[in-house]
């Protein structure tokens, strides 16, 4: 149970970090706002032209008599919009992370430097296009796993009593797990931790992961809320990744006053530390950190 509370604490720490670094928070809002506008445009288009799309795809109902044609097509329009809304909720985080890869990568590095005792942060050394490809590929794999869970939980939802009580709770925990995987991937990919190793790492501390991701998943059910929480979620997930790998997390009281304009601000501390012989932590080897 201590891990459960620790996970929630990292969520709060991430929000507190971006609150103290307003410039980073402002940049971190941009990807979520862009994604929200794109999704809103898609849903509005679906609402406006959904009836035409259903009519075009169901020509066999053109000759139905009475109210049946209208009821049938109206039902399909509602189902189509509901599916679009569900898909938007399920994919919002992954698409936002993909759109904001450069923003969140920079934010995560600054958090790493800010909480690292020697002021350093691991760097992937990969070109941007390669990072985007890996992120998109892994997001699709995670989405596939999440959809399988969604189908299973949907089927279990028809079980009397348990389907209306236990299954929704399990669903929130599953959502929290996959959401945490997406967010910690920003920091873990820079450490050369592949998807299989990331999942093993997260499973080794499931209560810690649930404490972070489950309340965040509940908040992310509203995409507008997700936009404003996303920068802090990435910051908190970076700290959580350090915890999972056994790296120390030391919060400082610095703010935007100590941030540079060119993204190399925190690196100054790293260079000063480097002069004393400190080096960045080695890449993760793939073995999950032991639970507490």
């Amino acid at each position: 149970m201590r891990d459960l509370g620790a996970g929630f604490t990292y969520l709060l720490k991430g929000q507190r970090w971006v609150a103290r670094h307003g410039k980073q928070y402002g940049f971190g809002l941009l990807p979520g706002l862009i994604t929200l506008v794109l999704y809103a445009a898609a849903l509005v288009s679906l609402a406006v032209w959904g009836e035409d799309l259903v009519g075009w795809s169901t020509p066999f109902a053109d000759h139905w008599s009475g109210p049946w044609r209208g009821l049938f097509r109206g039902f399909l329009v509602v189902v189509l919009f509901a599916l679009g809304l569900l898909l938007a909720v399920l994919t919002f985080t992954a698409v936002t992370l993909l759109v904001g890869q450069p923003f969140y990568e920079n934010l995560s590095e600054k958090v790493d430097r800010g909480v690292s005792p020697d002021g350093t942060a691991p760097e992937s050394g990969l070109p941007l296009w390669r990072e985007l490809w890996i992120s998109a590929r892994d997001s699709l794999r995670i989405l596939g796993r999440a959809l399988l869970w969604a189908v299973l939980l949907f089927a279990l939802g028809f079980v009397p009593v348990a389907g209306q009580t236990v299954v929704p709770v399990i669903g929130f925990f599953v959502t929290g797990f996959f959401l945490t995987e997406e967010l910690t991937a920003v920091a873990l990919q820079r450490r050369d931790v592949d998807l299989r190793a990331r999942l093993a790492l997260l499973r080794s501390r499931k209560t810690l992961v649930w404490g972070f991701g489950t309340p965040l998943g509940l908040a992310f059910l509203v995409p507008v809320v997700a936009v404003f929480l996303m920068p802090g979620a990435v910051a908190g997930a970076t700290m959580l990744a350090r915890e999972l790998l056994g790296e120390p997390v030391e919060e400082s009281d610095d703010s935007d006053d100590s941030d540079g304009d060119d993204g190399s601000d925190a690196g100054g501390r790293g260079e000063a530390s480097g002069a004393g012989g400190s080096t960045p932590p080695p890449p993760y080897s793939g073995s999950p950190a032991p639970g507490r």
Side-chain angles (χ1 to χ4, degrees), residues 89 92 217-227:
V89 171
F92 184 85
L218 289 171
F220 273 22
L221 289 175
V222 183
V224 176
V225 174
V227 170

Side-chain angles (χ1 to χ4, degrees), residues 40-54 77 80-81:
L43 289 174
V44 169
S45 300
L46 197 59
V48 172
W49 290 293
E51 187 174 354
D52 294 337
L53 178 61
V54 169
V77 170
L80 181 64
F81 186 82

Side-chain angles (χ1 to χ4, degrees), residues 156-165:
L156 292 175
F158 291 99
V159 177
V161 183
Q164 293 74 49
T165 54

Side-chain angles (χ1 to χ4, degrees), residues 190-246:
R190 282 191 289 107
R191 292 163 166 84
D192 286 331
V193 184
D194 62 21
L195 178 60
R196 185 184 299 274
R198 290 202 304 269
L199 290 173
L201 190 64
L202 294 172
R203 292 189 191 107
S204 71
R205 301 284 295 278
K206 285 193 287 287
T207 51
L208 181 69
V209 171
W210 289 334
F212 180 88
T214 302
L216 189 62
L218 289 171
F220 273 22
L221 289 175
V222 183
V224 176
V225 174
V227 170
F228 294 99
L229 293 183
M230 183 67 83
V234 172
T238 301
M239 300 181 197
L240 180 66
R242 295 182 66 91
E243 166 76 12
L244 290 169
L245 295 173

Side-chain angles (χ1 to χ4, degrees), residues 1 21 23 42 78 81 96 98 128 137 144 227 239 247 285:
M1 292 300 292
H21 299 75
K23 186 187 300 182
V78 172
F81 186 82
T96 302
L98 184 62
L128 178 60
R137 181 195 63 193
V227 170
M239 300 181 197
E247 300 174 4
S285 62

